[in-house]
Amino acid sequence: MRIVDIRETAIPLKSTLANSSFDFTEMTTSVVAVITDVFRSGKPVCGFAFNSTGRYACGAQMRARFIPRIIAAEPVSLLDETGNNLDPAKIFDCMMRREKAGGHSERSIAIGTIEVAIWDAVAKIADKPLHTILAERFSDGKIADKVFCYVGGGWYWPGQTIKDLQDEMRRHLDAGYTMVKMKVGGLPLDQDLRRLEAVLEVIGSGKHLAVDANCKFDRDESLRYARALSPYKLRWFEEPCDPLDFALFADLTEVYEPPLATGENLYSTQDVENLVRFGGFRAGRDVIQIDPPQAYGIAQYAKTLEMLSRRGWPRTSLFPHGGNQMSLAIAAGFGLGGAESYPGVFGDFGGFADDASIEIGTISLSERPGIGFEGQARLYRIMRELAAL
Ligand code: MG
């Protein structure tokens, strides 16, 4: 068997929302199709992925380096030992040829998106859901049937009132979620605290509410927010400051006892290791939110988990960023703390299978082979067109 073609296209997300730091009006994502010569029901098996949300499309690197390297490789050199399926680790090594150390995010998103599409193909060829394949390879075969899932919501939008925000949170609870996250840092602290208290009235307890500052604050403002938020004992306080300011993270852990969270803007195992070595991040308390398609993909994610495990971190402290079926399959397959959901936020790229159900804060998993994009009609239309299926 072999990879026949790898295609990519950039699609706009068409979102009008904003966090504390930027709006999403220009946001795009790269959709990737890996087309194989394996046939099922008369059609070629194709693996799909996209580069999650929050980072722009990265087709230039894919077209110039990573896709040509894979296509030029001897096909048999990319197969596993059975010769009947692709080997994601060999394909990763092929993409990394002639790449210099460091400088991760220049390539980690392009490579990670292709790598996740390869896994989708691998699972489809094996005729199993991706979460099952991952559980077999990385989690002693412990196969989840549902995953804890919380809503990343509470955005800022023009003309929004406190009541609008409370209504949004009520909708999430009515939909079956038990935990929500809201943005902070888009308004002065006193107004953000009024929003927070209004949401707590709906949610009931800080245990079920996280806040996300999207890296907005400088040192003084981070510490000021940390001190002000501390008494609410929130589930976590996400991205208070620059994602690489490990010294400031360490200082924040001195003044902020409840969990801190970060990781969606870290792109390598080494970056995450630096966070836990130098950022004061507390094993078993704080939360790490790497986005696997943006950080070299699933096999690298497994290596990051191994590193964290050596440093005493339980897998339940990891909540992959993304709010999509890729992160959901990864959360299920590796037995992580849970997944994020962005209901109705990122157009065709937010959300899960059309038939997924949320019950008491957990989401059901698709039994479709692969990641399960085929069960997400609007997104799958884009993927099918790209692959000309
Ligand atoms: Mg975030």
Side-chain angles (χ1 to χ4, degrees):
M1 71 151 298
R2 58 187 278 266
I3 293 171
V4 175
D5 196 7
I6 302 178
R7 297 181 191 160
E8 60 76 34
T9 187
I11 307 278
L13 290 187
K14 293 190 195 136
S15 173
T16 52
L17 295 174
N19 60 41
S20 65
S21 303
F22 60 93
D23 68 65
F24 287 79
T25 51
E26 295 179 355
M27 188 60 69
T28 53
T29 186
S30 286
V31 179
V32 170
V34 173
I35 302 164
T36 73
D37 67 351
V38 177
F39 274 72
R40 291 277 192 278
S41 311
K43 289 187 173 172
V45 171
C46 296
F48 298 105
F50 60 98
N51 68 288
S52 191
T53 50
R55 292 277 156 180
Y56 291 87
C58 49
Q61 297 96 314
M62 292 182 189
R63 288 190 300 274
R65 286 147 52 208
F66 308 122
I67 295 173
R69 282 176 197 157
I70 295 171
I71 298 298
E74 186 61 43
V76 73
S77 72
L78 306 179
L79 302 183
D80 67 12
E81 62 283 356
T82 69
N84 297 322
N85 209 332
L86 300 168
D87 186 325
K90 290 180 183 166
I91 296 171
F92 175 83
D93 289 345
C94 174
M95 285 193 277
M96 284 295 282
R97 270 180 213 150
R98 295 180 289 278
E99 293 290 320
K100 197 174 179 181
H104 295 289
S105 63
E106 184 272 333
R107 62 175 171 245
S108 68
I109 305 165
I111 289 178
T113 306
I114 295 170
E115 202 257 15
V116 173
I118 298 282
W119 278 102
D120 187 37
V122 165
K124 284 172 180 164
I125 290 167
D127 204 24
K128 291 178 181 178
L130 178 61
H131 66 86
T132 302
I133 293 275
L134 297 180
E136 288 169 358
R137 298 199 189 178
F138 300 112
S139 200
D140 300 327
K142 280 180 251 142
I143 297 169
D145 57 357
K146 55 190 181 180
V147 173
F148 177 72
C149 188
Y150 73 95
V151 175
W155 302 76
Y156 298 98
W157 68 87
Q160 181 191 48
T161 64
I162 291 266
K163 181 173 175 307
D164 291 336
L165 184 62
Q166 287 182 315
D167 288 346
E168 181 205 327
M169 297 305 174
R170 277 191 201 100
R171 281 198 301 277
H172 299 322
L173 294 183
D174 290 347
Y177 294 100
T178 56
M179 177 191 158
V180 297
K181 184 166 79 185
M182 65 184 288
K183 299 298 180 186
V184 293
L187 288 168
L189 174 59
D190 59 333
Q191 291 180 50
D192 265 344
L193 291 181
R194 274 205 290 283
R195 281 165 54 92
L196 178 90
E197 286 176 8
V199 169
L200 277 174
E201 272 174 39
V202 176
I203 301 296
S205 155
K207 273 198 313 224
H208 305 300
L209 177 64
V211 295
D212 185 358
N214 292 94
C215 313
K216 173 73 181 283
F217 304 135
D218 63 13
R219 180 181 174 80
D220 290 348
E221 197 69 347
S222 294
L223 291 163
R224 202 163 77 93
Y225 263 77
R227 290 193 180 97
L229 291 172
S230 190
Y232 296 100
K233 297 196 170 17
L234 299 174
R235 178 62 187 86
W236 67 69
F237 177 16
E238 179 171 324
E239 293 209 301
C241 61
D242 188 290
L244 296 176
D245 193 343
F246 302 130
L248 178 50
F249 272 119
D251 289 347
L252 283 164
T253 62
E254 299 292 318
V255 302
Y256 192 76
E257 202 191 311
L260 291 165
T262 192
E264 69 182 76
N265 293 301
L266 298 179
Y267 298 99
S268 68
T269 302
Q270 185 63 62
D271 280 336
V272 179
E273 187 160 24
N274 286 343
L275 173 73
V276 301
R277 284 179 72 194
F278 305 116
F281 257 48
R282 300 158 294 193
R285 185 186 316 181
D286 295 320
V287 172
I288 296 181
Q289 303 162 313
I290 304 151
D291 191 324
Q294 297 188 357
Y296 288 116
I298 289 171
Q300 193 65 40
Y301 193 77
K303 289 182 186 166
T304 302
L305 289 182
E306 274 172 33
M307 176 279 293
L308 286 170
S309 169
R310 282 196 303 277
R311 293 184 172 279
W313 281 75
R315 289 188 177 188
T316 48
S317 296
L318 280 99
F319 285 70
H321 176 258
N324 53 52
Q325 292 204 77
M326 300 178 289
S327 286
L328 179 62
I330 290 163
F334 285 97
L336 307 178
E340 186 173 17
S341 171
Y342 305 121
V345 172
F346 288 115
D348 298 342
F349 295 94
F352 305 107
D354 299 331
D355 57 1
S357 62
I358 312 287
E359 244 177 279
I360 327 175
T362 62
I363 183 164
S364 59
L365 291 163
S366 158
E367 285 306 311
R368 294 176 184 88
I371 292 167
F373 291 125
E374 288 74 4
Q376 204 176 344
R378 284 169 50 199
L379 176 55
Y380 187 59
R381 194 180 312 141
I382 296 169
M383 294 173 161
R384 202 179 53 206
E385 255 176 49
L386 178 62
L389 285 180

